[in-house]
Amino acid sequence: MNKAAELTEEQRDGGTVIRLSGNLAIACLHDLPARLDAVQGPVDAIDLSQVDHIDTIGAWTVHSAAKRLDAKIIGADGDAQRLVEAVGALDEPMAVRPDKVSPFTRVVGQIGDAVISAGTTLVGLLGFFGASLVAAWGLIRHPSRFRVNAVVQRFEVVGVSALGIIGLMSFLIGIVIAQQGSVQLRQFGMEMLTINLVGRLTFRELGVLMTAIMVAGRSGSAFAAQLGTMKLTEEIDAMRTIGIAPMEALVIPRIMAAVLMMPLLGFYASCMAIIGGAVVGELMLGIPFWTFLSRIQDVVPTYDVWVGLLKAPVFGLIVALAGCYNGMQVKGNSEEVGRRTTLSVVAAIFAVIVLDAFFAVFFTKVGWA
């Protein structure tokens, strides 16, 4: 078995045949590849009938020599023949660098890929929403399967734990709106209209919109990462094995928490933004703090508050669906968790902004302008 590989040139029927013998494993090849390279044609065949053993390197050496010399391989047993054929099947030219593509073609291709990806994601989200409705109907029919503790815990994660960052963000946004708005309105001597600007803009648009963006970045990404990790560690498969529906145990509590907490968080964010505007009014505009707050009741129509409260649950649903859907789509490796988490945030924010534009047109058409 350890006999070194040997090469012999023979003349058979007027042609040259190279006979290989011994062990054609990498440890026993020695100078055989160099001796084969030194052989000049023409060669009719390479005989492997006296080869005791051959490995992948030996098979590649034989195949390369046969290809260069345009010779047939004869005398190989079944294993040797299959190994030579296997390495020969891999002997295909490969481009070291990809072919150059024109910038226009590349841009159009990227746009097409993005459109296909967006369409696939949209169809997947619609299917996931349908599965969520089916799971919710199952819980309505069988209330004993409803996990109250899981929902309450999500209330804390989505709502209570987010009060600090959302309150600070909204307070600062109110300050910025009031300060920048007053600068522009001062040119017309209408600084008092800063109250209208802050009140209507925060209750109608920015309060709930910025809250949805914050929840998407904070809770939506957490949903995707948690479910994605559970998918990788096969915890979700284990739940199915023991008869627990993942949609009912994992997805529905998160969706309910986001849908129910978003109106409260949106209203809270609007109030904090108005307080920030009132602080600017007190310090920069000469409008007393309590006067600013009391005027809000006069200048902000009730339907502005309702517009924000009606949009909030829809935004919460979109954020939770995007996070849970992308988390449940994780497969392969841990890198997929990061990719899906990022995708969930991007998809949620994009969908929220698009829906907000549709809501703006809709409420204007119904007279809530």
Side-chain angles (χ1 to χ4, degrees), residues 186-205:
R186 185 177 294 119
Q187 302 176 30
F188 308 99
M190 296 181 179
E191 293 94 333
M192 286 296 295
L193 292 180
T194 303
I195 303 174
N196 302 54
L197 177 65
V198 174
R200 298 205 65 181
L201 192 58
T202 54
F203 272 117
R204 189 181 183 93
E205 292 293 341

Side-chain angles (χ1 to χ4, degrees), residues 160-184:
V160 179
S161 300
L163 290 176
I165 184 64
I166 290 178
L168 178 61
M169 176 200 68
S170 302
F171 180 80
L172 295 176
I173 287 176
I175 290 177
V176 172
I177 294 174
Q179 193 274 330
Q180 293 296 318
S182 64
V183 170
Q184 301 301 318

Side-chain angles (χ1 to χ4, degrees), residues 174-307:
I175 290 177
V176 172
I177 294 174
Q179 193 274 330
Q180 293 296 318
S182 64
V183 170
Q184 301 301 318
L185 292 172
R186 185 177 294 119
Q187 302 176 30
F188 308 99
M190 296 181 179
E191 293 94 333
M192 286 296 295
L193 292 180
T194 303
I195 303 174
N196 302 54
L197 177 65
V198 174
R200 298 205 65 181
L201 192 58
T202 54
F203 272 117
R204 189 181 183 93
E205 292 293 341
L206 283 186
V208 66
L209 182 61
M210 295 306 297
T211 300
I213 292 174
M214 286 297 298
V215 171
R218 185 181 178 278
S219 301
S221 60
F223 292 168
Q226 290 164 0
L227 296 181
T229 303
M230 294 179 69
K231 193 79 181 298
L232 279 185
T233 56
E234 299 182 353
E235 293 178 60
I236 293 178
D237 295 333
M239 292 176 65
R240 291 193 180 99
T241 301
I242 63 177
I244 298 176
M247 293 295 294
E248 295 180 1
L250 301 175
V251 175
I252 296 299
R254 287 170 167 79
I255 292 178
M256 287 189 62
V259 170
L260 296 178
M261 293 305 298
M262 272 297 298
L264 301 178
L265 290 174
F267 185 78
Y268 165 75
S270 300
C271 293
M272 292 300 297
I274 288 173
I275 292 174
V279 170
V280 173
E282 175 79 35
L283 299 178
M284 298 181 58
L285 306 179
I287 304 174
F289 184 85
W290 295 108
T291 301
F292 192 104
L293 296 183
S294 63
R295 283 285 298 164
I296 288 291
Q297 303 177 37
D298 301 327
V299 301
V300 177
T302 305
Y303 57 75
D304 275 1
V305 179
W306 282 110
V307 167

Side-chain angles (χ1 to χ4, degrees), residues 66-77:
K67 182 178 180 180
R68 181 178 65 84
L69 298 171
D70 193 21
K72 298 183 296 182
I73 298 175
I74 61 174
D77 59 21

Side-chain angles (χ1 to χ4, degrees), residues 49-66:
S49 59
Q50 297 185 24
V51 171
D52 300 325
H53 176 70
I54 187 171
D55 65 2
T56 306
I57 302 300
W60 177 257
T61 302
V62 172
H63 167 75
S64 300

Side-chain angles (χ1 to χ4, degrees), residues 74-145:
I74 61 174
D77 59 21
D79 292 339
Q81 184 66 31
R82 283 191 294 270
L83 189 57
V84 171
E85 291 176 355
V87 298
L90 299 177
D91 187 14
E92 297 292 338
M94 297 183 63
V96 177
R97 296 179 180 178
D99 296 333
K100 290 185 177 181
V101 181
S102 67
F104 176 78
T105 303
R106 184 172 64 253
V107 170
V108 172
Q110 291 175 348
I111 293 174
D113 292 340
V115 171
I116 294 174
S117 177
T120 303
T121 302
L122 179 60
V123 172
L125 277 173
L126 290 175
F128 191 77
F129 178 59
S132 302
L133 292 179
V134 172
W137 176 247
L139 290 177
I140 293 173
R141 293 178 57 196
H142 304 282
S144 60
R145 300 208 302 253

